[in-house]
Amino acid sequence: MNQLDELNKEQRQAVLQTQGPLLILAGAGSGKTKTVTRKIAYLIEEKGVSPYQILAFTFTNKAANEMKDRVETLLGSSVQGMWIGTFHSICVRILRRYHDRLGFDSQFSIYDRSDQVRAVKETVKELDLSKELFKEKAILSAISSYKNQGIQAKDLDPKSMDNFYDQKIGEIYQAYQRKLRENNAMDFDDLLLYTVDLLKGDEEVRTYYQFHFDYLFVDEYQDTNATQYQLIQLLCQPDPNLTVVGDNDQSIYAWRGADISNILNFERDFPKAKVILLEQNYRSTKNILALANEVIANNPNRRDKNLWTDLEEGQKVEYREYSHSQEENKDVVNQIIQRQHKGYSFSDMAILYRTNAQSRGFEEYLMQEGIPYKVVGGLKFYDRKEVKDILAYMTLLANPQDDLSLSRVINVPKRGIGEGTLDQLRALARQEGKSIFQVMEEMESKDVKIRARKNIEKFVQLIHLLQEKAKEAGISDLMEAVIYETEYAKTLKEENTPEARNRLDNMEELLSAAKTYEEDHPEEGLEEFLTSLSLLSDVDKTDDSQGSVQLMTVHAAKGLEFPVVFMVGMEERVFPLIRSSEEEEEDLEEERRLCYVAITRAKKELYISSARNRLMYGRTIINRPSRFIDEMGSGLERIHAYNTYLEEADQSPRRSSYLQVSKYKGEALDYENKPKKNPDYQSETKKDIRVGSKVRHKKWGEGMVVSLKEKGKDTEVVVSFEGKGLKKLLLSFAPLEVIRP
């Protein structure tokens, strides 16, 4: 296959530029993955480059797998030797090989977010600090910020810090790092930091990798932080064949350390660099792209580019301003039903919001309508308790020094080893400079008074039994032994509740995942399996949930696309979400990039909405429409929103006052003058009306009944009115004339 086929002029230039540094500025939907995979395939097929000489960084396993699969499809052969993966997975490969040079065992554990929270919680307790003042999430955010800037705990001097709180954060960071090292463990940020340390301090290792990889690729370069930037620099040869792909207009992760200057200063860092712009969009209609270009043009600090497309004009982007967020919740769900009747599937549609707190109202109305939905970022399979418990057992078998994994499962299922006993064991371990499990193994020979001694001995025997099985058993067989020998499954079966049965199903699913891994990676063992799971990102853990409306934050939507998108909550203080006036200009630019990302997720239809009054965090706040609405210009069709649910208001007179006045075509409708309830009419009309009936409404004209539902003693009817969309009515409030039953 000719790798230059089906490429536009700029994409072809990027593929053929095989020597020296290259920045591909790829706008949203411009075919960046296609360009990169074609370039890798071209190097292998046309230039005779070995896959072993290529290193490619991505930000998710999903992106890495897609890139690898595409290259293999293009070549018609395997590229097993090529290093392609996330920054973290590439670093793990290097660290597993050179672990001893950093003083770690090769089977070091990798702590995910929940492990980190527990480690920090223990650290705060050990330092005898106030858990009310020193919250785990705030501490981890500060530690991650240090690490993303390349600042290690050993480089800090807490006493030199300005205030008491920062001093204690510095002390917690240092104690937390000691705890991880004692447990032969690293967190996600450590994987990058230790690899940078290794490459900086060990010329032999650095030289080996610099000349092993002749070609480097970095995806989503605008999202790299200071440590990732250093890593790339350390892996580059003096005159590197480095291809980075990114879009400065989609840099939306400053809050987790991403530095947009990395992409803006690429030509300064690599003076011989060439820059190629990919501006042709293959995803969205002309009207959607025009809107995106209008908004992002207001950011002063950017590389100028203008997305364009050969696709159709498409329908205009609609904007509705509601009087209250409850109206917005209801009407968006109403429009979803309408789009579904027009032929879209529920999985074609997504509701995008700025913060997770905004999902609840939409969920309520989706549930009321029986519409399947998925909240992306909710509890994921690998975050479920029973799954993490079984994996903690497996981790303990691989790394008995991991006190955190031991602490998680020592009393799961309950075996009479409580928190008090565990505290005694921790104290002994600290005193002797050993792991908790080592102390437990030596318990028989110790003359110490400790509770649950017999239960401890039984637990040690259990772990020894499983360690023996681990020497010969495969991953799935060992997992089955863990589930059986620990009596985890037995306990759940005896519990015999719906929740327990669901947890048993999840354990079966985990076993299936282990068996699939064994089939796909026959040469790899427990260590590699645990590493692959520990490196899953939120995107990788998320179920695609075919057939469901997707609800997610704009951050979670990055990299996704949908035929129909609803951008909701477009108000000042909500989107843009500006917290600090001192940082407003910089924050605002990122919020605008976030808005640009949201707009460019839509392929065919985009609907934007705001509410003058929004119920959030238990109180109603009054907001102006987002400044981004005005920046969208004349490309936005403003639809006058009105309350389509007046008929329901009389049943709920104590609802928010926004129901008392609504507008329809500019006319004020008074709450007191609404149609009164007429049960007799409802009983008469109910005889004649059915799904498919043609009806007439005095305000909305003729329409067709699409559903009927009992609502207490009343009947709710949904009617599709020509040119007016779907309306929900209660028969006792809204007399309908049946034209044709």
Side-chain angles (χ1 to χ4, degrees), residues 416-417 419-422 424 449-456:
I417 307 175
E419 195 60 36
T421 303
L422 188 54
Q424 282 183 279
K449 290 182 180 179
I450 195 162
R451 288 173 283 179
R453 181 185 284 268
K454 286 187 178 178
N455 294 335
I456 289 170

Side-chain angles (χ1 to χ4, degrees), residues 24 47 59 77 84 188 231 271 281 289 341 411 416 431 575 609 634 667:
I24 303 174
K47 295 294 183 179
F59 272 81
S77 61
I84 178 169
F188 266 35
L231 179 65
N281 177 284
L289 288 187
H341 283 299
N411 204 36
Q431 183 182 322
F575 198 173
S609 58
S634 59
E667 274 181 42

Side-chain angles (χ1 to χ4, degrees), residues 541-552:
K541 291 179 183 176
T542 300
D543 178 13
D544 289 340
S545 295
Q546 292 300 313
S548 301
V549 175
Q550 305 280 293
L551 279 68
M552 67 189 80

Side-chain angles (χ1 to χ4, degrees), residues 239-351:
D239 189 15
N241 298 320
L242 170 67
T243 300
V244 304
V245 191
D247 181 4
N248 53 284
D249 290 333
Q250 295 187 72
S251 180
I252 58 173
Y253 293 112
W255 53 275
R256 69 180 190 196
D259 187 351
I260 193 173
S261 68
N262 290 350
I263 193 167
L264 293 176
N265 295 333
F266 186 79
E267 291 162 282
R268 182 204 67 188
D269 295 334
F270 300 96
K272 296 180 181 178
K274 294 196 175 180
V275 180
I276 294 174
L277 271 62
L278 302 185
E279 297 174 294
Q280 183 175 358
N281 177 284
Y282 296 91
R283 176 190 298 158
S284 307
T285 63
K286 286 185 171 72
N287 280 324
I288 291 171
L289 288 187
L291 212 69
N293 287 330
E294 287 283 344
V295 170
I296 202 63
N298 291 277
N299 266 3
N301 300 311
R302 62 185 290 263
R303 294 285 298 257
D304 192 32
K305 64 179 181 307
N306 202 55
L307 291 182
W308 62 276
T309 185
D310 281 334
L311 298 177
E312 62 186 0
E313 199 81 23
Q315 70 175 53
K316 276 208 163 189
V317 177
E318 296 180 3
Y319 165 61
R320 291 173 174 81
E321 182 186 7
Y322 298 94
S323 59
H324 196 280
S325 57
Q326 288 183 354
E327 279 190 3
E328 180 185 46
N329 297 151
K330 289 180 180 179
D331 198 41
V332 166
V333 172
N334 203 23
Q335 290 184 63
I336 286 172
I337 295 170
Q338 192 173 346
R339 305 277 93 65
Q340 201 249 356
H341 283 299
K342 287 185 176 180
Y344 286 111
S345 69
F346 288 130
S347 58
D348 287 334
M349 295 179 267
I351 301 174

